[in-house]
Amino acid sequence: MRQLTVHQLHPLPFDAAESINQLRVNLGFCGTDIKSIMLTSSTPDEGKSFVSMNLWHQMAGVGARTILVDCDLRNSEMRTRYGIGGQGKLYGIAHYLAGQVELEDVIYETNVAGGYLVPVTTNIANPSILLEGERFAALMKYCRGQFDYVLLDTPPLMNVADGMNIATHCDGSVLVVRSGVTSRRLVENSIHMLQKTSTPLLGTVLNRVDTSRRASQYYYKRNYTKYGYDGGSNP
Ligand SMILES: Nc1ncnc2c1ncn2[C@@H]1O[C@H](COP(=O)(O)OP(=O)(O)OP(=O)(O)O)[C@@H](O)[C@H]1O
Ligand SMILES: [Mg+2]
């Protein structure tokens, strides 16, 4: 298997690390049949990639073979943000979905023990058809069979249909909500959109909480959390 190195995944402050840990534990309580989990949000910049990356790191850290599939094919910043690099020509999910390479060419081992990645190496303008195709379904089936957890980092729900397509291949979704920024109406819209898929919403993550206002933010979070566990994470 080919190798990628993640150069810039720094340890989180205690509170944030503990919140991601709580999220990991809560997802574990969702049941052994919940293996493929999509991280989504209503709008850009709410922290989907941040939560995906750190959850992946923690899951691998406790011994769960975990693969993170970058499904933000239009606008992925994962490789630059986290300093992800490897030797030779790197193929990514778009190459696989377009039929240019095979699955084993885009699943990489990393320097995080137990942590595997399917990266985006080339952003593409219109991935919807690719995400609806058989090759994406085959990737999901394979990963589900090979790994303890399959995490999917996705684009925001409000802009494009990609997230809805991806949801149909997952066992559950987690909605990341940026504290104090994303409106209640947007969050409710996202919940309704996710309800249209058959995939359960496992919980919400209230992200980027101003800890000096934690009491009122907590109340805000509970108002929005209607499914499964209480999200339970406010990194
Ligand atoms: N809990 C957090 N603590 C500190 N920084 C954070 C946190 N969550 C997100 N960030 C930072 O906020 C910025 C946006 O986060 P991120 O890229 O994860 O959002 P996103 O939802 O994936 O955005 P996009 O929709 O563009 O993919 C990044 O610089 C990220 O490092
Ligand atoms: Mg992102």
Side-chain angles (χ1 to χ4, degrees):
M1 198 179 280
R2 293 184 65 194
Q3 297 274 336
L4 283 177
T5 305
V6 184
H7 292 283
Q8 288 167 32
L9 186 55
H10 305 300
L12 292 174
F14 177 81
D15 272 9
E18 191 42 40
S19 296
I20 296 283
N21 188 40
Q22 228 180 315
L23 174 64
R24 178 187 64 74
V25 170
N26 283 331
L27 289 171
F29 281 120
C30 288
T32 50
D33 52 338
I34 303 290
K35 295 181 80 171
S36 53
I37 301 163
M38 158 179 143
L39 285 293
T40 190
S41 71
S42 312
T43 60
D45 269 345
E46 297 199 57
K48 298 174 291 299
S49 301
F50 177 91
V51 173
S52 305
M53 208 57 201
N54 285 290
L55 180 62
W56 169 77
H57 193 210
Q58 280 210 12
M59 282 176 161
V62 296
R65 271 167 60 85
T66 307
I67 188 159
L68 174 57
V69 183
D70 190 353
C71 294
D72 192 358
L73 280 97
R74 294 167 202 261
N75 192 31
S76 176
E77 293 182 357
M78 193 182 285
R79 280 180 60 224
T80 45
R81 174 96 27 92
Y82 295 99
I84 298 171
Q87 306 256 306
K89 174 150 177 63
L90 295 184
Y91 294 107
I93 186 167
H95 295 105
Y96 162 74
L97 293 178
Q100 293 167 4
V101 298
E102 293 311 317
L103 206 40
E104 58 268 24
D105 301 314
V106 298
I107 296 182
Y108 293 82
E109 241 169 7
T110 70
N111 54 323
V112 174
Y116 299 77
L117 285 177
V118 176
V120 168
T121 55
T122 332
N123 289 348
I124 55 175
N126 188 5
S128 300
I129 293 169
L130 295 178
L131 290 166
E132 286 168 43
E134 281 173 16
R135 289 178 79 87
F136 185 67
L139 178 147
M140 290 302 294
K141 188 171 177 209
Y142 176 84
C143 289
R144 227 180 161 280
Q146 295 294 316
F147 297 94
D148 298 320
Y149 283 106
V150 186
L151 301 180
L152 296 98
D153 185 16
T154 64
L157 285 168
M158 290 303 154
N159 298 6
V160 289
D162 298 357
M164 300 277 280
N165 287 329
I166 295 163
T168 60
H169 294 279
C170 295
D171 301 326
S173 60
V174 170
L175 184 66
V176 178
V177 177
R178 183 166 172 182
S179 169
V181 173
T182 313
S183 70
R184 180 186 185 117
R185 188 181 54 78
L186 276 176
V187 175
E188 283 173 349
N189 276 347
S190 296
I191 290 171
H192 288 141
M193 285 174 80
L194 290 168
Q195 277 177 327
K196 286 184 195 155
T197 70
S198 54
T199 311
L201 175 58
L202 304 170
T204 59
V205 171
L206 190 64
N207 192 32
R208 300 176 81 171
V209 171
D210 176 356
T211 47
S212 62
R213 296 172 60 219
R214 189 176 283 255
S216 59
Q217 300 280 3
Y218 183 68
Y219 176 74
Y220 168 87
K221 178 183 76 167
R222 288 194 63 95
N223 269 346
Y224 285 107
T225 306
K226 296 179 179 168
Y227 300 87
Y229 69 87
D230 190 23
S233 188
N234 47 1

